[in-house]
Amino acid sequence: MLFEALGIVMRPDVLLAVLGAGFFGMFIGAIPGLTASMATALLVPVTFFMDPVPAVASIVAATGMAIFAGDIAGTLMRMPGTPASAAYVEDSYALNRRGKANEALGACLVFSAIGGILGTIVLSLMAPQLAEVALKFSSFEYFWLVLLGLSSAVFVSSSQPLLGLVSLFIGLAVSLVGQNNPTGAARYTFGSVELLAGVQFVPAMIGIFAVAEIIRSYTKPAAQSRQVRVSGPIFLSQISNLMKYPLQALRGASLGTVIGALPGAGADIAAWVSYAISKKFSREPEKFGTGHPEGLVEAGASNNAAVSGAWIPALVFGIPGDTITAIVIGVMFVKGLNPGPMIFLQQPEMVYAIFMIFVLANLLMLPIGWLAIHAAGFLLSSPTRILMPIILLFCIVGSYSINNSVMGVGIMLAFGIAGYIMEENEIPLAPAILGLVLGPMVEKHFVTSMIKADGNLLAFFERPIAAVLGVLTVATFLYPLIRMVMARRAYARGKPRSTNSAPKLK
């Protein structure tokens, strides 16, 4: 079976499809606003003229490349291409400002490939078992998982967790807009028909990072000493990272695969949770956000492992793990590849071929990513007066193309101004995007769970997996408070007593 699958993958048309789609996905992902989902959607019409294996191979290659490519603009321009890249953009951009863009992008590239390969190994060995676990997740488990993701805002806000919570609540408040809620009621739309669909997080992310950075480049040109040239070896410095952080890479890939296997989760939640866990268990948590590669290693491995993990429910049960696999399932049905349990019995060579394509795509990510990094560094070193209008044009195109609506451009501009104001007041930006992405999910799963439990809050702890996630989430939220109280008590015990009265004479 393996040799037959290898013969299928090594055909010239399959290899050309992987190579061409890899360059296409790298280009789309590197532009702020043009996401991996958009790259997949744009490839669908092309796949109609392909055989089944090249069609699936092109989507696999484009997806993995686009997820990594979001790190390029985030590192060089502080404009993350995907919500997953926003989780660790402060560290990667700080490394760039210190002249270490090659180390930052090298870590993102190498560990994205490692995470993708490890995720593929788990996909090939444990797909049925992980799919069974994923099917046991109900609204109770998803509620705790999403709430655990929201707790990441406290940890990713390096020095000021209170301002991180302020930013998180700004994102949660914006997520309430529209009809995208369990009741279907229009909230905070102010009579606007366009806002009935809510505030799309892609235009918001483009605005809060990219447009805010463009505004800053004109209002404070002296402070914007951009360092975008990528000089020095990209892969050599990753040998030390691999020897120093092997546990982090393995932990990020494992967590990303598990989270990716949960329908509706995906690379975004995986990257945020992995970055927060990396900081939580790090020996140097104070360095996170200042240009520390440890978070890049773990979160970078996690987001590409989640891409592989999302295929577990798609292949085993025909249930899409995210937006991309939903598109893939449609393509597979058109091509006569019916995903589900029977595909492992009737067409096992095709399943093995898909696994090999994942490995091939992640290996090709290294040379293609190397070319993309140097090309981006060369292009982005252009003068600000030329570069910024071009970037703004791409931002407008990306925001408009989400729903083919001018409202997307308006949201982008509004969040650009808001992002600039927030940064001027030292309010971190990343938690706001986290709240906007996860806000509708936590509300939906909470209301659904309350309806199931007839208002009984104890039902959130009755199921085994929900109880474990619930205790972990509550402990995560209470830990900073408990630590602060214990520190104050220790300080009070060690403080010398004051002597206000004169000593008594014997």
Side-chain angles (χ1 to χ4, degrees):
M1 241 12 122
L2 289 173
F3 282 109
E4 189 175 348
L6 186 63
I8 294 173
V9 173
M10 290 299 148
R11 284 165 30 197
D13 57 338
V14 177
L15 296 177
L16 284 174
V18 172
L19 191 62
F23 280 105
F24 172 75
M26 195 69 71
F27 172 76
I28 295 294
I31 299 174
L34 304 183
T35 61
S37 301
M38 186 176 299
T40 307
L42 290 173
L43 272 178
V44 170
V46 182
T47 60
F48 291 155
F49 304 97
M50 296 181 178
D51 291 335
V53 176
V56 176
S58 61
I59 294 177
V60 170
T63 303
M65 303 290 178
I67 292 291
F68 155 71
D71 299 336
I72 297 177
T75 301
L76 298 180
M77 299 293 294
R78 199 166 173 261
M79 302 175 183
T82 62
S85 304
Y88 45 89
V89 67
E90 298 297 343
D91 271 310
S92 61
Y93 185 67
L95 281 170
N96 173 40
R97 294 294 295 269
R98 283 157 44 189
K100 296 182 178 180
N102 60 318
E103 295 184 18
L105 288 171
C108 294
L109 174 60
V110 170
F111 289 95
S112 289
I114 291 174
I117 292 173
L118 291 177
T120 305
I121 294 173
V122 176
L123 170 65
S124 59
L125 296 178
M126 301 180 62
Q129 293 85 347
L130 286 176
E132 288 181 7
V133 174
L135 285 179
K136 292 180 181 178
F137 269 62
S138 66
S139 58
F140 297 100
E141 287 80 9
Y142 276 112
F143 168 75
W144 288 121
L145 180 66
V146 176
L147 204 61
L148 185 63
L150 287 175
S151 70
S152 305
V154 180
F155 296 107
V156 300
S157 306
S158 55
S159 58
Q160 302 182 23
L162 183 60
L163 290 179
L165 285 176
V166 171
S167 179
L168 176 66
F169 283 121
I170 290 174
L172 290 173
V174 174
S175 72
L176 297 175
V177 176
Q179 285 183 313
N180 188 21
N181 58 78
T183 62
R187 300 183 303 195
Y188 309 113
T189 59
F190 304 101
S192 172
V193 178
E194 288 85 357
L195 286 177
L196 289 175
V199 176
Q200 300 294 324
F201 69 85
V202 172
M205 185 189 69
I206 296 171
I208 206 168
F209 284 107
V211 176
E213 198 70 19
I214 292 171
I215 295 173
R216 191 174 299 105
S217 69
Y218 286 103
T219 56
K220 296 182 177 181
Q224 287 298 108
S225 55
R226 294 186 298 111
Q227 171 73 30
V228 295
R229 283 281 187 179
V230 182
S231 58
I234 289 177
F235 298 117
L236 187 61
S237 59
Q238 303 317 311
I239 298 175
S240 61
N241 281 337
L242 188 58
M243 296 177 65
K244 191 175 181 180
Y245 306 118
L247 176 63
Q248 286 81 349
L250 185 61
R251 186 172 59 197
S254 304
L255 184 63
T257 306
V258 173
I259 293 179
L262 303 176
D268 302 341
I269 298 180
W272 285 94
V273 173
S274 292
Y275 184 81
I277 288 177
S278 180
K279 183 180 179 182
K280 171 68 180 155
F281 292 101
S282 174
R283 296 179 180 178
E284 303 170 310
E286 70 280 355
K287 293 185 178 181
F288 278 67
T290 63
H292 191 48
E294 186 175 353
L296 303 182
V297 168
E298 187 155 347
S302 181
N303 57 14
N304 265 59
V307 174
S308 303
W311 281 69
I312 292 173
L315 282 177
V316 178
F317 296 109
I319 300 172
D322 57 7
T323 307
I324 294 169
T325 49
I327 298 172
V328 169
I329 286 175
V331 173
M332 292 179 72
F333 273 116
V334 171
K335 297 298 181 181
L337 301 174
N338 299 327
M342 296 305 295
I343 193 174
F344 288 85
L345 299 176
Q346 296 175 350
Q347 297 172 300
E349 71 282 354
M350 303 301 289
V351 176
Y352 284 117
I354 292 173
F355 296 158
M356 291 180 181
I357 288 167
F358 266 103
V359 175
L360 177 62
N362 281 285
L363 290 175
L364 281 176
M365 186 188 298
L366 297 173
I368 295 177
W370 184 88
L371 290 173
I373 288 170
H374 285 286
F378 176 76
L379 293 173
L380 296 179
S381 61
S382 305
T384 300
R385 67 180 186 278
I386 299 174
L387 182 64
M388 290 302 174
I390 296 175
I391 292 177
L392 182 60
L393 178 62
F394 277 119
C395 292
I396 293 173
V397 172
S399 300
Y400 179 83
S401 61
I402 297 299
N403 285 324
N404 294 329
S405 171
V406 180
M407 178 56 69
V409 181
I411 292 172
M412 177 198 74
L413 295 175
F415 270 84
I417 297 172
Y420 177 77
I421 295 173
M422 288 170 65
E423 283 234 305
E424 290 297 302
N425 293 276
E426 299 183 351
I427 299 175
L429 303 179
I433 294 298
L434 181 65
L436 184 58
V437 172
L438 299 185
M441 295 176 64
V442 72
E443 181 186 19
K444 180 184 74 172
H445 294 305
F446 176 74
V447 173
T448 304
S449 301
M450 289 294 286
I451 293 172
K452 289 179 182 178
D454 198 19
N456 181 18
L457 291 175
L458 293 177
F460 284 84
F461 296 92
E462 290 178 352
R463 297 164 60 90
I465 300 178
V468 173
L469 289 174
V471 171
L472 182 61
T473 305
V474 172
T476 301
F477 275 102
L478 293 180
Y479 175 76
L481 180 62
I482 295 172
R483 188 176 179 181
M484 182 180 65
V485 172
M486 291 177 65
R488 287 187 176 182
R489 286 185 177 179
Y491 174 76
R493 285 196 300 267
K495 187 178 179 181
R497 296 181 180 179
S498 60
T499 55
N500 295 328
S501 57
K504 295 180 179 180
L505 295 177
K506 291 185 178 179

